[in-house]
């Protein structure tokens, strides 16, 4: 983009790189021509500038509430489901573990039952062996196995009884076994007693009845059944444990897998949304940058345009005046009139261009704000400018004013414009009185310039600060209508706000805000 | 006002590229009391050639005073000013910078380059004429110019 800087334009004219000239301040390449200058040039605690902006009447940034966008809903659902799955998986694992404990306990019991059964049987055999030995020899020592076997068998039976408490079928068999055991043991005891008392033949006779043999065979059967059933139980438990374990493993694995997938979905959705947002933000920032640039260029353009218009305008203005002077009365009355209008037009064009230049210089020539004592500044102003007081009988009164952060020459301009307006738009029959005051709250100083003049109709309030807008004809009140527009530009350039209270016939009060600071050395 | 320089006209060199402004200056000077001869150079190169009496300007009169516009094509007015004040043969000639710019930088730069004074051309015709007259009054009648 070819630079529109005045220095560059001058360079084109002279054909050489120009010496630094007016407008070089406007040539900031990053286009900092707008309100951001205040933040750039001021050494003020970080929050202050932006908080000033917010409080000084700029529209506050809408607070960003967490909206429930679709990606967020999906992500939340995914994460919740995933969490739920994890909980389920944990529950399942716990259940499986408890099952396994029960199963292994049952397994152990079966093993013990089988063990007790074997011990019982071997004890019974021992008892038989002892009995036989004694029957044959008649010697007491041969009874030892019988004695120990009987005790052991009864012991084992007692264990079996308690161990099969939970299994009705098995318990019934154990009861049956007990009965048979007592029968057999009774038989054994009888034969032993007979041998002891009556000798071998008597004992042999009982044996030969085969009662003992038959009982033992029954016992064998019951034991076989007991053992088989118990073994079947045992195998069943083993199988159950195994299948439970596999089932649980499979369920847990799929549950975890699903939970993992859901979390990935959740994260992916959120990341996608974040990227989108990043993209939007970047676009916004780009747009804002390009806006800033175009604003800066527009300002430079306005400045250059109005500056370069001065020269040809001077020619038109000067020569029409010269014509008017040299040929006054010599070209006829009409010519004088025509020239008069041309001269007047040129003069007004000159004023307008000067005002435009002034207006554009507010930002291009703006100095970084410094602490400025408004009281001293206004006092200075009143001393410098000859406000038309004597001829109107008017007066200007000033209250104590605070210290503010501002470009002093621009602030002076604002006061000058407002005060002179207050004096200019006076009631024809009343001496004008302009009063300047201020109030400070929360680091914001609100200045008021109040007059007792003709007032402004509220329907014109919004047009008031527009450039070149006038509410009266030039015959009534002079001026191009730029004074208030300049005030507004200066005030807004400092991050403040300007507005008016007024009623026709009563007067007007113009208010504007600026960042206030404590004068150095005091609260 | 007594005529100075034994009655000869004051030689004024006007360095100005806008013919409109040249004519205005001429008209304004015509209305004055001092007899003066106005030489016009419309750019910096021509101005320096006239001052140094080079080439076609070998017989150019030596100006008693220079009215210099800053915004000139080719060689810029500031460079002409610098050249004049560096040139031992020329630096005694008073240079009145007469230009449209009000810019502080231009004012400072001109004085830094030893301009004798800086005047911003008024936009109003009457004021312009008054300024030219003032230049006449001050520089050509009150002030004693060095002998060329």
């Amino acid at each position: 983009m070819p630079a529109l800087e005045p220095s560059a334009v001058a360079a084109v004219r002279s054909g050489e790189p120009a010496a630094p000239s007016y407008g070089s301040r406007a040539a900031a390449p990053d286009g900092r021509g707008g309100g951001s200058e205040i933040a750039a040039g001021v050494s003020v605690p970080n929050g202050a500038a932006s908080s000033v902006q917010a409080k000084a009447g700029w529209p506050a940034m809408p607070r960003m509430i967490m909206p429930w966008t679709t990606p967020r809903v999906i992500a939340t659902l995914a994460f919740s489901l995933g969490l739920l799955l994890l909980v389920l998986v944990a529950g399942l694992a716990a259940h499986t573990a408890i099952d396994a404990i029960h199963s292994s306990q049952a397994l152990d019991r079966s093993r013990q039952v089988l063990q007790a059964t074997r011990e019982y049987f071997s004890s019974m055999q021992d008892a038989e062996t002892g009995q036989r030995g004694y029957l044959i020899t008649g010697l007491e020592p041969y009874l030892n196995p019988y004695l120990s076997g009987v005790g052991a068998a009864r012991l084992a039976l007692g264990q079996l009884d308690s161990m099969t408490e939970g299994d009705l079928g098995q318990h019934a068999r154990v009861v049956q076994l007990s009965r048979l055991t007592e029968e057999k043991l009774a038989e054994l005891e009888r034969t032993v007693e007979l041998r002891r008392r009556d000798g071998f033949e008597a004992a042999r006779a009982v044996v030969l009845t085969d009662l003992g043999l038959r009982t033992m065979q029954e016992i064998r059967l019951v034991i076989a059944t007991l053992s088989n059933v118990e073994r079947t139980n045992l195998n069943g438990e083993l199988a159950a444990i195994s299948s439970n374990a596999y089932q649980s493993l499979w369920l847990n694995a799929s549950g975890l897998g699903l939970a993992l997938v859901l979390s990935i979905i959740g994260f992916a959705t959120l990341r996608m949304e974040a990227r989108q947002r990043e993209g939007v933000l970047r676009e916004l920032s780009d747009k804002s940058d390009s806006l800033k640039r175009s604003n800066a260029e527009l300002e430079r353009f306005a400045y250059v345009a109005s500056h370069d218009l001065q020269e040809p305008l001077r020619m038109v203005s000067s020569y029409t005046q010269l014509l008017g002077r040299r040929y006054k009365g010599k070209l006829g009355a009409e010519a004088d009139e025509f020239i008069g209008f041309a001269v007047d037009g040129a003069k007004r064009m000159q004023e307008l261009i000067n005002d435009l230049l002034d207006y554009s210089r507010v930002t291009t020539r703006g100095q970084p704000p410094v602490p400025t004592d408004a009281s001293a500044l206004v006092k200075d102003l009143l001393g410098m400018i000859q406000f038309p007081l004597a001829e109107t009988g008017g007066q200007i009164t000033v209250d104590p004013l605070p210290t503010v952060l501002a470009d002093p020459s621009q602030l002076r301009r604002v006061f000058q414009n407002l005060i002179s307006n207050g004096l200019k738009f006076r009631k024809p029959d009343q001496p004008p009185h302009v009063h300047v005051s201020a109030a400070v709250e929360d680091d914001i100083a609100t200045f008021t310039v109040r007059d007792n003049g003709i007032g402004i109709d509220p329907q014109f309030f919004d047009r008031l600060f527009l450039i070149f807008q006038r509410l009266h004809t030039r015959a009534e009140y002079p001026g191009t209508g730029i004074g208030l527009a300049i005030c507004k530009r200066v005030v807004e350039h400092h991050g403040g706000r300007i507005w008016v209270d007024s009623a026709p016939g009563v007067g007007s009060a113009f208010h504007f805000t600026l960042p206030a600071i404590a004068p150095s050395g005091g609260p | 006002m007594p005529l100075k320089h034994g009655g000869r006209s004051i030689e004024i060199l006007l360095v100005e590229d806008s013919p409109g402004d040249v004519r205005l200056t001429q008209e304004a000077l015509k209305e004055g009391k001092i007899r003066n001869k106005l030489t016009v150079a419309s750019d910096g190169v021509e101005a320096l050639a006239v001052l140094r009496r080079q080439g076609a300007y070998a017989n150019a009169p030596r100006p008693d005073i220079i009215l210099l516009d800053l915004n000139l094509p080719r060689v810029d007015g500031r460079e002409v000013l610098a050249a004049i004040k560096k040139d031992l043969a020329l630096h005694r000639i008073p240079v009145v910078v007469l230009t449209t710019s009000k810019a502080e930088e231009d004012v400072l730069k001109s004085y830094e380059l030893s301009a004798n004074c800086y005047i911003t051309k008024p936009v109003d015709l009457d004021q312009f004429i008054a300024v030219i007259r003032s230049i006449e009054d001050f520089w050509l009648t009150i002030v004693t110019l060095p002998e060329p």
Side-chain angles (χ1 to χ4, degrees):
Chain A
M1 174 85 198
L4 295 170
E5 302 153 38
S7 52
V9 171
V12 165
R13 263 198 255 133
S14 67
E16 303 275 347
S21 67
Y22 36 66
S24 58
R25 268 177 235 139
D30 55 357
R32 275 194 277 141
S36 58
E37 268 177 12
I38 186 175
V42 175
S43 56
V44 126
N46 247 335
S50 53
S51 73
V52 158
Q53 286 222 340
K55 285 173 195 166
W58 282 103
M61 273 293 281
R63 211 129 33 98
M64 302 282 263
I65 320 162
M66 266 309 235
W68 276 112
T69 61
T70 314
R72 292 218 182 111
V73 168
I74 292 176
T76 310
L77 273 175
F79 285 129
S80 309
L81 271 175
L83 201 64
L84 191 65
L85 270 172
L86 284 176
V87 167
L88 281 175
V89 160
L92 192 63
H95 178 78
T96 307
I98 293 172
D99 266 357
I101 291 174
H102 286 154
S103 285
S104 67
Q105 283 171 344
L107 263 177
D108 197 49
R109 194 160 309 143
S110 292
R111 185 188 57 79
Q112 285 174 346
V113 163
L114 286 170
Q115 174 88 335
T117 310
R118 280 193 288 273
E119 275 175 18
Y120 162 81
F121 193 67
S122 89
S123 305
M124 290 301 281
Q125 283 177 326
D126 282 349
E128 264 199 338
T129 309
Q131 174 233 39
R132 248 179 236 124
Y134 185 67
L135 281 187
I136 294 172
T137 63
L139 292 169
E140 291 293 330
Y142 282 83
L143 263 182
N144 289 340
Y146 165 77
L147 293 168
S148 62
V150 165
R154 285 216 174 95
L155 192 67
L157 257 182
Q159 285 173 345
L160 276 171
D161 185 62
S162 62
M163 278 191 273
T164 56
E165 253 165 27
D167 189 341
L168 282 174
Q170 293 290 76
H171 197 251
R173 288 180 200 106
V174 169
V175 166
Q176 193 188 12
L177 194 62
S178 289
R179 187 175 48 78
L180 289 168
T181 306
E182 291 313 311
E183 280 176 27
K184 175 70 184 175
L185 288 179
E187 187 257 340
L188 285 176
E189 206 189 316
R190 207 164 347 119
T191 52
V192 163
E193 265 309 304
L194 274 178
R195 179 66 175 79
R196 196 181 275 136
R197 255 194 359 230
D198 297 338
F200 181 75
E201 285 304 328
R204 187 167 171 265
V206 173
V207 171
L208 282 174
T209 59
D210 284 344
L211 182 65
L213 191 72
R214 280 199 301 276
T215 313
M216 204 59 180
Q217 276 170 345
E218 280 181 54
I219 286 176
R220 274 202 193 88
L221 276 172
V222 173
I223 288 204
T225 316
L226 248 175
S227 304
N228 286 341
V229 168
E230 206 59 43
R231 240 177 251 120
T232 309
N233 285 351
L234 194 144
N235 289 337
E237 287 291 341
L238 272 174
I241 287 182
S242 182
S243 80
N244 272 357
Y246 276 119
Q247 192 179 54
S248 158
L249 196 66
W250 190 88
L251 277 173
N252 285 351
S254 15
L256 279 171
L258 200 59
L260 193 67
V261 165
L262 283 170
S263 341
I264 290 176
I265 290 176
F267 279 121
T269 318
L270 283 179
R271 208 161 73 136
M272 188 184 70
E273 197 208 31
R275 279 243 194 83
Q276 244 181 6
R277 203 144 49 105
E278 233 176 80
V280 168
L281 279 175
R282 211 177 304 131
E283 215 187 291
L284 248 175
S285 145
D286 281 344
K287 286 226 175 88
S288 141
D289 276 342
S290 83
L291 248 174
K292 272 196 212 147
R293 266 197 307 272
S294 93
N295 272 352
E297 277 171 7
L298 272 169
E299 279 177 13
R300 283 201 290 261
F301 174 75
Y303 179 87
V304 166
S306 46
H307 191 274
D308 286 341
L309 284 170
Q310 295 271 19
E311 168 70 18
L313 188 55
R314 260 187 61 243
M315 295 293 108
V316 168
S317 177
S318 306
Y319 280 99
T320 46
Q321 285 179 66
L322 206 50
L323 269 175
R325 278 217 268 163
R326 284 286 167 83
Y327 296 101
K328 194 175 171 76
K330 295 188 189 152
L331 294 172
E334 273 193 335
D336 290 343
E337 196 190 344
F338 295 165
I339 291 176
F341 284 128
V343 168
D344 193 50
K347 275 218 178 90
R348 270 189 295 130
M349 195 152 55
Q350 203 125 63
E351 274 175 58
L352 284 169
I353 290 190
N354 277 333
D355 287 343
L356 255 180
L357 257 175
D358 266 345
Y359 183 77
S360 67
R361 280 202 192 114
V362 168
T363 47
T364 58
R365 288 270 187 97
Q367 307 272 10
V370 292
T372 307
D373 180 359
S375 273
L377 184 129
V378 173
K379 191 156 161 246
D380 202 39
L381 176 70
L382 295 178
M384 259 194 341
I385 306 276
Q386 299 278 36
F387 287 108
L389 294 173
E391 52 268 43
T392 58
Q395 57 163 337
I396 302 172
T397 53
V398 185
D399 279 352
L401 302 174
T403 304
V404 290
L405 219 51
D407 173 345
S409 63
Q410 288 190 345
L411 183 57
R412 193 175 295 130
R413 190 59 187 275
V414 171
F415 279 117
Q416 187 181 341
N417 286 358
L418 291 177
I419 292 174
S420 76
N421 273 1
L423 293 172
K424 178 160 79 176
F425 293 100
R426 66 181 193 280
K427 290 193 193 131
D429 54 345
Q430 196 178 4
H433 177 197
V434 175
H435 182 69
V436 183
S437 60
V440 182
E441 190 187 321
D442 281 346
D443 297 334
I444 307 282
T446 306
F447 293 92
T448 302
V449 178
R450 189 182 300 277
D451 66 64
N452 61 348
I454 57 173
I456 304 161
D457 192 328
Q459 65 170 305
F460 299 125
F461 280 2
D462 53 350
R463 282 174 49 190
L464 214 54
F465 296 98
L466 292 178
I467 193 171
F468 292 149
Q469 284 293 317
R470 296 168 42 85
L471 299 180
H472 307 277
T473 66
R474 293 171 54 79
E476 291 168 340
Y477 296 99
T480 53
I482 194 116
L484 285 176
I486 288 186
C487 291
K488 179 169 189 253
R489 201 160 210 236
V490 169
V491 167
E492 285 179 359
H493 186 59
H494 284 74
R497 209 165 57 95
I498 184 167
W499 70 102
V500 63
D501 287 326
S502 181
V506 176
S508 309
F510 283 84
H511 312 278
F512 63 95
T513 59
L514 284 175
I517 54 173
S520 49
Chain B
M1 281 278 172
L3 292 172
K4 296 213 165 172
H5 305 275
R8 74 169 169 81
S9 319
I10 305 289
E11 291 286 344
I12 305 176
L13 172 63
L14 172 63
V15 187
E16 169 65 66
D17 67 319
S18 153
D21 270 326
V22 169
R23 188 60 200 276
L24 278 178
T25 310
Q26 280 172 333
E27 293 297 317
L29 285 172
K30 250 194 244 168
E31 293 181 24
K33 307 167 204 113
I34 309 301
R35 272 174 53 204
N36 54 72
K37 238 182 79 200
L38 188 66
T39 309
V40 178
S42 51
D43 66 51
V45 172
E46 207 186 322
L48 289 169
V50 166
L51 285 167
R52 291 176 180 144
R53 304 202 201 153
Q54 292 164 340
Y57 306 104
N59 296 321
R62 188 192 159 79
D64 294 300
I65 186 171
I66 301 174
L67 303 178
L68 177 65
D69 183 20
L70 288 181
N71 293 322
L72 301 170
R74 288 203 284 169
V75 178
D76 178 65
R78 297 160 195 84
E79 287 181 48
V80 174
L81 175 58
I84 292 173
K85 292 301 175 181
K86 272 202 204 111
D87 189 326
L88 291 175
L90 303 171
H91 72 180
R92 286 200 305 254
I93 309 176
V95 177
V96 173
V97 171
L98 183 63
T99 187
T100 46
S101 165
K102 299 192 256 192
E104 243 178 81
E105 305 98 281
D106 290 330
V107 175
L108 278 172
K109 186 78 194 258
S110 305
Y111 279 113
E112 238 173 82
L113 292 171
S114 307
N116 291 74
C117 68
Y118 186 104
I119 300 178
T120 306
K121 282 185 212 168
V123 287
D124 181 69
L125 172 68
D126 290 328
Q127 285 173 16
F128 181 80
I129 293 178
V131 160
I132 299 293
R133 294 273 194 80
S134 306
I135 293 174
E136 256 190 318
D137 283 346
F138 183 73
W139 283 102
L140 305 187
T141 52
I142 297 174
V143 161
T144 305
L145 294 172
E147 289 298 319

